[in-house]
Amino acid sequence: MADKREKFGGRLAVILAMAGSAIGLGNIWRFPYMVGEHGGAAFVIVYVIATLLISLPVFLAEVMIGRRSHTNARDAFARLSRHHPFWKGVGFLTILIPTLIASYYSVIGGWSVEYLIKSFGFAFVRTPPEEVSGLFGAFVSSTWMPLVMHLVFLAASVGVVAGGVKSGIEKFSKVSLPVLFLLILFILVYSVTLPGAGAGVRYLLHPDWSQLTPRTFAYAMGQSFFSLSLGMGAIITYGSYVNKKENILATSAGTALSDLLFAILAGFAIMPAVFAAGVEPGAGPGLIFQSVPYVFSKMGADLPLLSGIVSAVFFLAIIVAAMTSLISLVEVGVSFLMERSGISRGKACLVLFGICGTLGTLCSLSFGPLSGVTVAGMTIFDLLDWICSNVLLLVMALLAVVFVGWILPRSVVRDEFTSREMYAFNDRIFPLVWFLIKWVAPVAVVIIFFTNFIL
Ligand code: PFF
């Protein structure tokens, strides 16, 4: 049975698939905005330190859980803990969380599809700047189109997963990731050469040390976790497809580096244009679906064709980035269903499509007919996002790192980290990595958790 499991082709394939999961909406709308709000370059420095000291050890822990157990995220904990009831229960969370996230993530993906279509029709260029942000509200609150787009986007992503690990996920990431970098570079060049773009560059580069509060650290770590797809079973699942001989330090560091690089490029692709158009950079969907189209509308007055092309490239980039991330979320549930109930990949994909399609439908409708349905003042969409990214993700990441640092024997972890003593450098830095996994990362996650809730 174990031998039949698929594997990624090689180091590059692993990095591209994992980077595909990591690089997503988190990089494009959240990172640029957070940098500006929390001290510019000062935030970037904190972010890099948080990634190196905390997220990277958690990332390694998740890859090790996956590769060592050689099974899906749910059974990984059970297998490695010799079926301890607590860890069996934990494993279940690793299936539940990504499935919930996939549901609302694909709703945003659907919006991007609609915006790509709008770009093809030069909708932003043709709409006066002051009316362009209204297009978003009108679209998401309508009942049918967002729903159809959500299902189209989900179906396309599930379709890639149905192709399998090697000929679906790996093949898709190998093409889409390089294309994604090219697309963002194209937008970056357009953005920084606009008149007035300098203010946006300064917004990102100016280090404002006075902004560095405990909250900034908590935000930087939370963002880094989300961006690296931690605490959601995705990296555990992808880790289980990594060859036993692969150097997991190299693949993990390669993933973290690409993710960071892309986030920074996205910042320079978006903020200068937003400033050049004189818009306030807002957070969340507002930034990419309202402020950025405003830029296209404004710039479109002089250069309609170029504006139209850049807007299409921009939404295409978002679609590609979101798709590779959604794929990794769906794969978690698919691998679980296949290994648990023995059903085929195709059938497992259909089940996931059914679940995420239905939950996503509720999320999509929560901007329109279901907007009155709220829990603690949050709509269904906001509630799912809030619970997953502020609570469940942190709990899950903490459990994964505690599992590796405190439950697995040190010798097993060392064996995994060095790929059975194949890599001398890994062996040398193991004591440091062990210390980070055992002490630094768990304590830091607990601190973020309390900072988020108490401060
Ligand atoms: N890392 C993705 C992003 O930055 O948008 C989001 C994500 C994908 C989170 C997959 C979790 C995950 F398992």
Side-chain angles (χ1 to χ4, degrees):
M1 173 73 191
D3 292 333
K4 278 203 252 136
R5 284 192 107 241
E6 286 195 80
K7 278 195 186 69
F8 286 127
R11 179 169 306 172
L12 190 65
V14 176
I15 295 180
L16 289 175
M18 287 187 174
S21 169
I23 296 170
L25 296 166
N27 304 57
I28 298 182
W29 59 259
R30 227 162 139 224
F31 184 81
Y33 160 76
M34 292 198 98
V35 172
E37 283 286 279
H38 299 286
F43 180 85
V44 178
I45 294 169
V46 174
Y47 183 85
V48 171
I49 296 173
T51 302
L52 283 178
L53 295 184
I54 300 142
S55 309
L56 200 54
V58 177
F59 195 96
L60 283 165
E62 293 202 5
V63 175
M64 289 193 259
I65 293 173
R67 185 166 78 161
R68 187 76 184 186
S69 64
H70 201 59
T71 186
N72 64 80
R74 150 70 171 76
D75 295 323
F77 286 94
R79 189 173 283 182
L80 295 178
S81 67
R82 304 224 165 83
H83 302 281
H84 189 284
F86 175 77
W87 292 106
K88 265 185 166 169
V90 165
F92 188 68
L93 266 184
T94 63
I95 309 298
L96 179 74
I97 303 173
T99 308
L100 292 179
I101 299 184
S103 308
Y104 70 83
Y105 206 85
S106 82
V107 172
I108 308 178
W111 298 344
S112 322
V113 176
E114 166 73 13
Y115 269 56
L116 177 66
I117 297 172
K118 279 192 173 24
S119 303
F120 284 145
F122 286 83
F124 309 123
V125 178
R126 284 191 288 109
T127 311
E130 34 324 321
E131 286 171 28
V132 93
S133 72
L135 294 176
F136 180 67
F139 168 65
V140 294
S141 60
S142 66
T143 306
W144 293 105
M145 275 325 269
L147 212 105
V148 171
M149 294 300 168
H150 147 62
L151 294 176
V152 165
F153 187 77
L154 183 63
S157 310
V158 172
V160 174
V161 176
V165 175
K166 239 176 131 49
S167 39
I169 300 174
E170 180 176 322
K171 238 188 191 162
F172 186 75
S173 323
K174 269 189 170 159
V175 178
S176 61
L177 257 263
V179 168
L180 191 56
F181 271 91
L182 289 179
L183 296 180
I184 208 80
L185 279 174
F186 175 79
I187 302 164
L188 189 149
V189 171
Y190 166 81
S191 178
V192 297
T193 50
L194 288 171
V201 174
R202 275 193 296 281
Y203 177 83
L204 294 170
L205 285 185
H206 171 71
D208 181 358
W209 301 105
S210 67
Q211 293 280 331
L212 291 191
T213 59
R215 252 190 175 242
T216 319
F217 283 89
Y219 283 142
M221 280 191 263
Q223 167 65 14
S224 171
F225 270 24
F226 185 80
S227 195
L228 282 176
S229 305
L230 296 174
M232 316 204 189
I235 300 304
I236 297 180
T237 307
Y238 276 10
S240 75
Y241 303 135
V242 175
N243 194 300
K244 289 276 175 215
K245 292 191 184 131
E246 191 51 72
N247 183 350
I248 57 168
L249 180 62
T251 50
S252 305
T255 305
L257 210 69
S258 341
D259 186 53
L260 177 67
L261 182 65
F262 191 87
I264 291 176
L265 289 178
F268 284 105
I270 294 173
M271 287 306 169
V274 166
F275 274 79
V279 200
E280 266 299 297
L287 178 64
I288 48 178
F289 294 106
Q290 289 172 303
S291 308
V292 174
Y294 180 92
V295 176
F296 299 133
S297 166
K298 201 139 185 232
M299 304 305 165
D302 299 325
L303 291 168
L305 183 64
L306 182 65
S307 242
I309 294 174
V310 179
S311 83
V313 170
F314 180 74
F315 287 106
L316 185 65
I318 292 180
I319 289 174
V320 173
M323 229 174 122
T324 45
S325 297
L326 182 58
I327 284 168
S328 73
L329 290 166
V330 172
E331 175 64 18
V332 181
V334 167
S335 73
F336 166 69
L337 282 180
M338 282 168 64
E339 288 174 351
R340 248 310 140 116
S341 44
I343 59 175
S344 69
R345 179 169 278 274
K347 280 205 185 108
C349 283
L350 277 181
V351 174
L352 259 290
F353 180 80
I355 297 173
C356 299
T358 310
L359 280 174
T361 296
L362 295 177
C363 291
S364 181
L365 293 177
S366 76
F367 289 88
L370 296 185
S371 61
V373 181
T374 56
V375 179
M378 286 184 269
T379 62
I380 303 172
F381 181 100
D382 291 340
L383 184 72
L384 265 188
D385 181 29
W386 187 84
I387 292 186
C388 291
S389 37
N390 292 325
V391 184
L392 295 177
L393 175 159
L394 292 175
V395 170
M396 213 33 248
L398 177 66
L399 288 167
V401 81
V402 163
F403 186 76
V404 173
W406 294 88
I407 305 295
L408 289 184
R410 189 178 191 274
S411 57
V412 167
V413 180
R414 187 170 165 277
D415 195 53
E416 264 310 306
F417 183 65
T418 59
S419 303
R420 302 219 155 82
E421 309 203 3
M422 271 178 68
Y423 300 100
F425 177 74
N426 296 20
D427 204 25
R428 240 177 297 140
I429 65 160
F430 179 71
L432 170 68
V433 172
W434 179 247
F435 177 71
L436 293 175
I437 290 181
K438 201 170 170 81
W439 295 103
V440 178
V443 171
V445 179
V446 171
I447 293 175
I448 312 180
F449 199 77
F450 285 106
T451 310
N452 277 345
F453 281 94
I454 298 170
L455 287 183

